[in-house]
Each structure stands twice: as C-alpha cells, then as structure tokens.
Amino acid sequence: MTVTAENTTFVGATGISLPRRRIVAEQVMVIAGQLGAGGGNLLFSIVALRLLSPGDYAELVTFIALYLLLHVPAASLSVGSAIAPGDERALRRAGLGLGAGAGAVLAATSVPLSGVLHLSTGLLLVLAAAGPGAGLLALARGKLYGAGLVGGVTASLLAEPVGRLTLGVVLTAALGPVGGAVAVVAAGYCALGIARWRGAGVAQSASHSATGASRQTATMVVFLLLAVLANQDLLWANALLGRDQAALFAVLSTLGGVAAFATATIPMVLLPRAANRDTGAVLVALGGAAAVGLGALLVVAVTPTGVWVSLLGPAYAETGRLGVAYVGAMAMFGLARVLAAENCVTAGGRTSSIAVGVTVVGQAVGIALFHDDARSIALVTLAAMTTLTVSVGTVTMLRARPAAVGTAWPLRLRQVIANHTGWVIAGLTVLGIVIRLLSPHSIWVDEAISIRQAKLFPFHESIRALRDTDVHPPLFATVLWVEVHLFGTGQLAVRLPSIVTGSLMVPMLYLAGRELYDRRAGMAAAILGVFAPFAVWYSQETRMYPLFLLFGVSATWAQARVLRVGGRLSWVMYTLASAALLWTHYFATLQILAQQIVFAVIAWRRRGSRRASRDGPDIVVPWLTSLATLALLVAPLVPFVNAQLHAYNARGGVGFAAQTSDVTAAGSHPLLSIYSIGANGVWAVFGYHSDAIVATLVALWPLGMLVAFLLLGRGHSRSALSIAATVLVPVLFLFALGTQKDNLFEVRYFVGILPGLLLLAGRALTNWLRTTAGIVLGVGLASLTLVVALADQQLNPSDPRLYDFDGALKHVTAHAKPGDIIIYSPIFLVDVVDYYSPSVPSYGPGSGALARARTARHVFVVGSFLSDPNVAVDTGALLARLEQRRQVVDTFHAPQVIVWELQ
C-alpha cells in the first residue's frame, strides 16, 4: 500500500490504484442514490394511501411486495456483470430467459393465483409483464458497477421513484391499483433504459479463464443464498406465528429491510475494486456498511415507545425494543455481505458459499425449533447473522496478509491482528455496543429513582433531591439530567450513556493491558471485556457503575504509564481519572487507596537517583503534586458529602440501613458466609444466574483455589501485584465493613475490580499458554464460556436479579380502564410503577390505598421482592384485606413480579 500526504492512494497487486477520496465518493454517491430511491418509493406509497381505498391500497402494496420479490433472485445476476462488465451481453440471454419464464408462469397461473393471493387477475398479468425486465435490469446495473460508472447507477436508481411519483400518481388516480402497478413496472423499464444507455460504451470482454468464470458463478450463488438468508425468516414467521405476532414480525422485517436495503449497493461498488485488488476499497466498504447499520440501529434505539404506539398502535409497543435486535441483525448482514463479496472475487468464494449455505440451514432449523413469538425469531436471525459475519470476517482476516508458504494459521492470525490492531479494537468496541443494546432488562428500582431525580427542573432541584434522599456523588446524576432533558425518558434513551461508557471500557482495557504487559495481553483483556456478563449487565443500567468501570480502568492505564515512562501528561491523566472516580462513586476511594499504596511502595524502592534511573522515573515530587491536585479537585465535593450524611442521619439511616441484598439465594444463606463470598465472586466473573447454578459454581471453590495455587507457581510480576492490590483492597475492606452492615458486602459496590480481573485473565492466557495456537484457543474458550454465561444471565427467567417490571406493568396498562387503580408492595416500587404506568393511578400499601380501593372498578396489586419474608407477609395481608370485598379474577406472573387483578 502506498500512502501520499495529500490524498491516500491504495495500490493493489495488479498495479491499479484509486485515490481513497474517489473510493469513498463512489460509495457515498450510490448509497445516497439508494436512500433517495427508497425515500421516493416510500413517498409514492404514502400518496397512494391517500388516493386509494384501504382494500385497493392493500392490493397495491401486495403487488409491490411481489414485484420486489421477483427482483430478489434476479439481483444475484448483477454480481456477474459487476465482476466482468464486458460479460453482460453473454449473461443477458440467461437473464432474459429466467425473467420471461417467470413471467410466463405467472401469466398462465394468474387466475388460480388471484384467489390464493387475494389479488385481481389484472395485477398478476402486470406483474408477469415485469418478469423479462427483472434480470435485464440487474445485469445492466451490474455492468455499470463493474465499469465504475456510479453516476449511471445513481441515475438508474432514482429513475424508478421519479417514474412512480409522476406517471404513477396520474395512473393510480385514474385506474386504481392496476394503474399504480402499471406505473411501477413502467418505472422499472425506464430505469433499465437509462442503465442500458449509460453502459452502452463499455466494451465486450474477451473470454476469460475457467477460474474467473467459476468465481463469477460462485459469487452469483453466494448472493442468491444471501437473498434467501435475508428474507426466509419473514416467510417462516408468517407460517409459524399467530396473527398478532406475525404482524409484529412483519413490522420488524420492514425496519430491518430498510437497513439491508440501504447497504445493498455497497458490495456492488466493491466487487470490481476488489477484483482489481484495490486494497482500500474493502475498508471503505466495511466502514460504509458499519456507519449505515449503526445509524439505523441508533435511530431505532432512541425512538421512544410512545412514537411506535402513535404510528402503529398499542399492539406494536414492543417494536422499539425488538427492533434493536432485528435491525442489529441486518446491520451485521450488511457487514457479512461486504466480506462475502470480497472473499468471492479474491479467493473463489468456496468458503463464503459454504458459510452462507450453512447459515441459511442453521437459521431455518433455529426458527423451526424456537418460534414462540416474534422475539424468538428475531434473536435466531441475530445469532445467524452474527455467526456469518464472524466466520466470513475471520476468513478475510486470515487472508488479509498472506504469510510465507507453510506458515501456520495462528501465526497468520497474529500477523493480521498486529497489522490491523486499530480496526480490531474498533470492531470489538462496536460489537460491545451491539451486545449491550440487545436483550435489555427492565428498568430497576434504583434506575427509576435516578430517572425521577433527573426529570426535576431546574438543575439545582435535581441535585437537591440527590443530596437529601440519595447517597451517591453528583457526576452521573449530572450526565443523566442532561440526557433526560435532551432526549427524554425512553428506556433506551436514559440507558444510552451507560451503554456507551460501558463499551468504551473495551478499548481502555486494551490500552491498559498493553501498557502493563504487552499487546497480546491487552487484546485478550479487551475481547473478554466485550462479553463479560457483569460488565454487560451494568452497562444496561441507568446508574453510575459503567462510569465507575471506565474511569477505573483509565486510572489503571494512566498509573501504568506514570510508572513506566513518567511525564507530565501521564500524571495529569491519572489525576483527572482519579478525581472523576471520586465524583462518580464514593467506594472508588478504595481503588485510589490501593493505587496510592502502590505509589508509596515504588517510591520507596526507587529512592536515590541511581536506583530511580535503573527502575524507572523518580515519582516522589510528581506523586505528591498529583495528590495535592486531586485534593483540590475533590474539595468541592466535601460540603455535598457532609450534607448527604446529615440527611442520611435525619431519615434514620435509610440508604445504608441493613436490608435484603439485591440478590439473595432464596434467603437461605447468611450474607457473610462462605456461600455469600463465593456467590459474589461468581457474579463478578460470570454475571447473575439462578440459585442452582450459583450454588453449583460456589461448591467448586476448593478446585478454584487449587488452580490458583498452581498458577501462582508460574511466577508473577510487579504489574500483576499492583493490579492484584486494586482487586483485593476493595474486597477486603468491604468484607470488613460488611461485618457491621451486612448489605454493604455486595458485588456492585466493588464493581471497580472487574477491569483488574479481566487484565489479570488476559495476562494469564497470553503468558501461561506458550504457543500462539494455545493463546488463540484459550482466549476463544474463555470468551465462549463468558458468552454462555451472558446468554443465561440475559435470557434465563429464573435469574434472581431479573425483575420484569416492564412486562408486568405493560400487562396492567393493557388491561386497565378508567376507574382502575394500582396498589404496589413494597412501598419502594413507587418510582418504577410511575415510570411504566404513569396513566394509571397508583398507591403504596396502607389505609389510604384501601380507602381508594373501595370506589375503584378494578384493583391491580403489583407485588415484588416476595422472597423477602417481611415483604411476602405484608403483601399477603394486603391481598387478604382486599379479598374481603373483592375476588381475584386474574393472576399474571413475570420474572420476580406478580400482578393480581381484583374486581
């Protein structure tokens, strides 16, 4: 690759080069044309909705869907002419034959099909007329892609919506759905005419080699399989799901189709560039697909539920939450399509054919086994698309930098990572964001409290509420206040800061691992950080813990730099990260204390100029300066802490008072026992799980100690000891504190140890395993273990930390009518009930609620935390008093939440 200062130029193996700006400009132009075409077609649909009756409009929409379906297999022909534009004429006969044959079959069966599809015979005959043009249009556009005539491609793409909006509006108004259908087909032939005209000057190629022909055929097969992969889930959903869930999945498919449609042109622009070995074209195409996919994902993610309800109706309230998973799947599909295109033209496509074919079968089998609802099929599709992207991406990476003949694959992988570290870390960070966007759990009680405080206006009222009723520093509350007043209180909107900061821990783990040990250790820690269940869980909470993780690992990285190279900038970064930690969580004091102990020990060991020069820079003066600066930065927090302590004492110690921990093992184990210590360790490493799983893992603690002693025998380093200090000091201190107040020995309070654990694990895997193959397999096995643990944590309804207030209160809202009320138990559910059911009057347990229940139509009792004996007794007493005048007519169970409906 040759790089010039003004304009980077990528030079391929054949000597053909393209400026990077031109490659980017080509992709941007065609993406803009594709989006413009999609927008124009959507506008035509909206105009037709105004012109036609509901029945006629449904017929026209069905026709358009069939028209698009007719073009799906034909579109695979375009890759053949894109790879070899001069072959378009030779392929034209096949395209025309396929299209004409399909049209003839449609025409011959139009009468019986009209009853099956509920379409008029006239519409089916118009669809038959479109058949011959489908393959010809695909070939003509492929020829333009191959010749680099992206302006012609854009003109052809835009011709269809222009034709529909001009001729289509007139014909639809005059002739109804048949007129609109004629206009749609005519616009397609108009686009064909423009594509043929713009590609008329492309010379016909001489016959090419058998290898080139086989690659061309393999690419066409791969793209046909990709079309099946992108569309078969909708067909399965219609066949297997009930009417309501099938309709919901159709909406998800439409949203995902937008993302897939927007990236459809990217591999077409790439194909001829990849065939000519333009190295940079692949990176540009991947960047374009990632940007479009991530943009679509974020749009769906931040759209409030109320918008979906207003647009689609109450039955589609889950669109936003499920749409994130499905649009994420289509974003992955866009990346897989780019990687498959590159692999086909540069390596023959055999591997891609196998990977796509296996994925098609796997997706079908997965849907056949797991088709309970729209969510299940969406998750199967996400798993299929992610698997395909990872498999094809791995093949591409292994081929990206060919090694010498006979070089083993682990060494090639090591070379690839070494040469593309930035891209790998960026990819891991994006993957971390996607994972944290998927399968979110319900808003938790503490989150609802934070959201209620953030809604207060002006800002000082929010801070006053934090000071008087809470026990945390104000940094996260400030970030959340800005977020709420800019983007609202939608579930995804309030969690976006946590998702982003939690994902940024991934690149910081790499930097810290590289600084402490080496690049391999940093990469291993970053990979583990993507999937660490505990990190994912708290990255999905509207709380300060993701900031705690990010600032904690940043302070670790900065300290390592200080001790290795010194320098003013390193000390500034460490001091700022430490100050941010204290403004985020008071228990961060423990990590800072551990790091100050490390500084003190190293300052003592480096005393004297001769010893300092040998072991590293002298740190005494900058260390003391850093401490003084840190004290100044934290000084404004002291009055706030003092006011919080006074308020805490005034309300009788509520906040730190002994109470049931967030996660208990059915209340059967004392909080400070071997079990509780082991359980907290399991949660920190493997995330939250059912009592049975946790009990099994805790029972293995002797084996864990044996392994630890064996590994300690492999040697240690100063870096490992310093990280171990930041892990052990918080745990030991909170254990001692927990002997006085049981609920303080809770894993979330020492969440800051997680980066240290991941760094130590990364170092262990890359240092104790001697070979590159061993490291790859070890990191892969560890990641797979975390993925399994993550799936169980996120999806297992028996997880004692999974409280589905969302599902329970949506059930209440869906069934409540004017005159109904909610009574919740225990009393601290007030904020979460107000968040999910603001339209239904709600009351805490007590005489006031019972008085209002006398005049209510129906009473919904929402009970949770029923594993706590006191809460269970209080809730049972509440139900007993209500049942003196009413009877229970329905009971709804959600994870850790029960709803009783009484009339």
Side-chain angles (χ1 to χ4, degrees):
M1 183 176 75
T2 303
V3 181
T4 62
E6 295 297 323
N7 189 11
T8 302
T9 301
F10 298 99
V11 180
T14 63
I16 299 174
S17 62
L18 279 178
R20 181 173 59 183
R21 291 177 185 173
R22 179 179 167 187
I23 297 173
V24 174
E26 286 182 348
Q27 288 285 10
V28 170
M29 179 183 293
V30 180
I31 291 173
Q34 182 81 334
L35 293 176
N41 293 335
L42 177 61
L43 182 58
F44 170 70
S45 297
I46 295 172
V47 172
L49 177 63
R50 299 293 183 182
L51 295 175
L52 299 173
S53 68
D56 287 345
Y57 178 70
E59 276 201 283
L60 179 59
V61 170
T62 304
F63 171 84
I64 294 175
L66 292 172
Y67 177 82
L68 294 175
L69 187 62
L70 182 66
H71 280 72
V72 166
S76 63
L77 294 173
S78 62
V79 300
S81 53
I83 296 174
D87 289 351
E88 185 260 349
R89 180 178 298 178
L91 293 170
R92 195 182 304 164
R93 180 180 300 175
L96 181 59
L98 289 173
V105 171
L106 277 172
T109 59
S110 58
V111 174
L113 280 178
S114 121
V116 175
L117 299 174
H118 303 290
L119 287 178
S120 68
T121 304
L123 285 174
L124 289 173
L125 291 175
V126 174
L127 182 64
L136 297 178
L137 178 59
L139 288 169
R141 283 180 176 166
K143 181 179 181 180
L144 294 175
Y145 284 118
L149 300 174
V150 293
V153 174
T154 305
S156 176
L157 289 171
L158 295 176
E160 288 194 83
V162 170
R164 294 183 186 185
L165 288 171
T166 52
L167 181 64
V169 171
V170 175
L171 292 180
T172 302
L175 303 175
V178 174
V182 170
V184 168
V185 175
Y189 278 104
C190 179
L192 171 60
I194 291 175
R196 291 286 304 276
W197 168 59
R198 295 299 297 269
V202 178
Q204 183 176 359
S205 64
S207 60
H208 49 286
S209 66
T211 301
S214 65
R215 292 189 178 187
Q216 190 179 53
T217 303
T219 307
M220 295 165 65
V221 170
V222 166
F223 272 72
L224 182 59
L225 290 173
L226 286 170
V228 173
L229 181 65
N231 292 278
Q232 73 168 342
D233 56 357
L234 180 59
L235 301 177
W236 279 97
N238 286 331
L240 298 173
L241 297 179
R243 184 180 62 182
D244 293 341
Q245 286 296 311
L248 176 58
F249 191 83
V251 172
L252 299 180
S253 181
T254 301
L255 291 175
V258 172
F261 177 81
T263 59
T265 60
I266 293 176
M268 303 305 301
V269 177
L270 168 67
L271 282 170
R273 305 289 172 251
N276 289 328
R277 308 290 182 177
D278 282 330
T279 313
V282 179
L283 298 180
V284 171
L286 285 173
V292 173
L294 190 58
L297 189 64
L298 290 177
V299 169
V300 175
V302 301
T303 301
T305 301
V307 173
W308 300 115
V309 173
S310 299
L311 290 175
L312 305 171
Y316 300 96
E318 294 290 304
T319 298
R321 186 166 67 90
L322 300 182
V324 171
Y326 196 77
V327 172
M330 291 300 107
M332 287 286 186
F333 177 71
L335 295 174
R337 195 159 44 183
V338 169
L339 293 168
E342 191 275 341
N343 183 262
C344 284
V345 297
T346 57
R350 179 181 178 184
T351 304
S352 291
S353 301
I354 296 172
V356 179
V358 169
T359 305
V360 168
V361 174
Q363 182 192 31
V365 172
I367 293 174
L369 294 175
F370 307 102
H371 57 268
D372 298 331
D373 50 21
R375 175 177 177 270
S376 301
I377 296 181
L379 291 178
V380 169
T381 298
L382 174 64
M385 299 305 184
T386 304
T387 302
L388 177 63
T389 304
V390 171
S391 59
V392 181
T394 301
V395 172
T396 302
M397 285 183 61
L398 291 174
R399 289 179 38 259
R401 294 273 179 166
V405 175
T407 302
W409 66 266
L411 182 56
R412 297 206 302 272
L413 181 60
R414 180 176 176 180
Q415 291 172 340
V416 169
I417 293 176
N419 289 310
H420 299 283
T421 298
W423 285 100
V424 173
I425 294 299
L428 289 174
T429 305
V430 171
L431 181 59
I433 292 174
V434 171
I435 288 174
R436 285 153 177 80
L437 282 170
L438 300 177
S439 190
H441 44 85
S442 170
I443 290 289
W444 164 248
V445 172
D446 293 349
E447 293 179 273
I449 294 172
S450 295
I451 295 168
R452 187 249 305 160
Q453 292 171 348
K455 288 164 62 178
L456 297 174
F457 188 85
F459 174 65
H460 66 81
E461 292 294 335
S462 177
I463 294 300
R464 180 181 299 170
L466 182 73
R467 182 195 65 194
D468 295 341
T469 64
D470 213 320
V471 290
H472 293 102
L475 178 59
F476 173 76
T478 302
V479 173
L480 183 60
W481 188 90
V482 174
E483 174 77 11
V484 164
H485 289 276
L486 284 178
F487 301 107
T489 58
Q491 183 165 311
L492 225 27
V494 297
R495 283 177 168 172
L496 202 56
S498 296
I499 290 170
V500 172
T501 53
S503 302
L504 289 177
M505 182 187 72
V506 172
M508 290 308 303
L509 280 170
Y510 169 74
L511 293 175
R514 185 184 66 177
E515 196 67 43
L516 285 162
Y517 303 112
D518 54 36
R519 185 167 52 194
R520 296 187 306 170
M523 186 66 69
I527 293 171
L528 298 179
V530 172
F531 305 106
F534 195 63
V536 172
W537 182 275
Y538 281 106
S539 295
Q540 293 178 323
E541 279 206 359
T542 310
R543 297 291 281 170
M544 69 293 301
Y545 302 111
L547 278 178
F548 194 170
L549 290 170
L550 178 61
F551 293 141
V553 70
S554 299
T556 300
W557 168 63
Q559 183 184 44
R561 283 192 62 82
V562 161
L563 296 178
R564 188 175 67 85
V565 298
R568 184 178 302 172
L569 180 59
S570 299
W571 280 105
V572 168
M573 290 188 295
Y574 173 76
T575 305
L576 291 178
S578 299
L581 268 173
L582 289 173
W583 280 85
T584 299
H585 203 290
Y586 294 131
F587 283 144
T589 306
L590 301 176
Q591 175 177 334
I592 296 173
L593 174 63
Q595 290 178 324
Q596 298 307 314
I597 293 173
V598 171
F599 278 137
V601 170
I602 291 178
W604 174 259
R605 292 186 61 185
R606 291 183 183 178
R607 65 192 185 279
S609 58
R610 183 177 303 174
R611 178 128 188 192
S613 62
R614 184 177 70 249
D615 295 341
D618 186 18
I619 67 169
V620 174
V621 173
W623 172 38
L624 295 178
T625 303
S626 171
L627 274 176
T629 306
L630 180 60
L632 289 175
L633 292 174
V634 177
L637 193 57
V638 174
F640 188 83
V641 175
N642 188 54
Q644 280 186 320
L645 288 174
H646 280 294
Y648 167 77
N649 291 327
R651 61 180 184 265
V654 176
F656 279 131
Q659 54 181 291
T660 302
S661 177
D662 285 343
V663 185
T664 63
S668 60
H669 299 273
L671 283 171
L672 281 181
S673 64
I674 290 294
Y675 178 88
S676 66
I677 297 170
N680 278 278
V682 169
W683 294 330
V685 177
F686 297 109
Y688 294 115
H689 301 281
S690 67
D691 296 340
I693 293 175
V694 173
T696 300
L697 292 174
V698 171
L700 297 176
W701 71 268
L703 179 61
M705 293 184 63
L706 177 61
V707 173
F709 286 133
L710 289 175
L711 294 178
L712 284 174
R714 301 297 297 271
H716 59 269
S717 65
R718 187 186 67 190
S719 297
L721 293 177
S722 66
I723 296 300
T726 63
V727 171
L728 291 175
V729 168
V731 173
L732 295 176
F733 184 88
L734 286 172
F735 178 80
L737 196 61
T739 61
Q740 303 301 315
K741 290 187 178 293
D742 292 343
N743 64 308
L744 291 185
F745 189 67
E746 165 66 41
V747 66
R748 60 184 173 145
Y749 294 139
F750 45 88
V751 65
I753 72 171
L754 181 61
L757 291 175
L758 294 173
L759 289 168
L760 290 173
R763 176 58 173 174
L765 289 169
T766 56
N767 186 47
W768 295 332
L769 299 173
R770 299 300 187 185
T771 65
T772 302
I775 291 171
V776 172
L777 294 176
V779 173
L781 183 60
S783 300
L784 180 61
T785 303
L786 293 181
V787 168
V788 172
L790 176 62
D792 180 75
Q793 171 187 267
Q794 301 295 109
L795 302 176
N796 190 346
S798 62
D799 180 350
R801 188 64 167 82
L802 186 63
Y803 287 75
D804 190 12
F805 295 110
D806 185 8
L809 290 165
K810 277 182 178 174
H811 171 82
V812 173
T813 303
H815 291 80
K817 292 180 173 56
D820 295 347
I821 67 171
I822 296 173
I823 301 179
Y824 48 82
S825 176
I827 187 65
F828 53 78
L829 297 185
V830 52
D831 291 309
V832 75
V833 172
D834 286 344
Y835 178 83
Y836 279 120
S837 295
S839 60
V840 182
S842 57
Y843 308 93
S847 57
L850 292 172
R852 294 179 183 276
R854 294 192 185 99
T855 59
R857 194 185 74 89
H858 282 201
V859 177
F860 294 90
V861 176
V862 178
S864 187
F865 295 88
L866 299 177
S867 60
D868 184 328
N870 294 327
V871 174
V873 169
D874 292 343
T875 305
L878 171 64
L879 284 168
R881 296 189 65 179
L882 288 171
E883 286 182 301
Q884 292 175 2
R885 295 173 176 267
R886 297 173 175 272
Q887 62 178 354
V888 176
V889 295
D890 184 39
T891 303
F892 178 80
H893 292 264
Q896 314 300 326
V897 187
I898 303 177
V899 178
W900 294 272
E901 182 180 356
L902 298 95
Q903 74 175 22

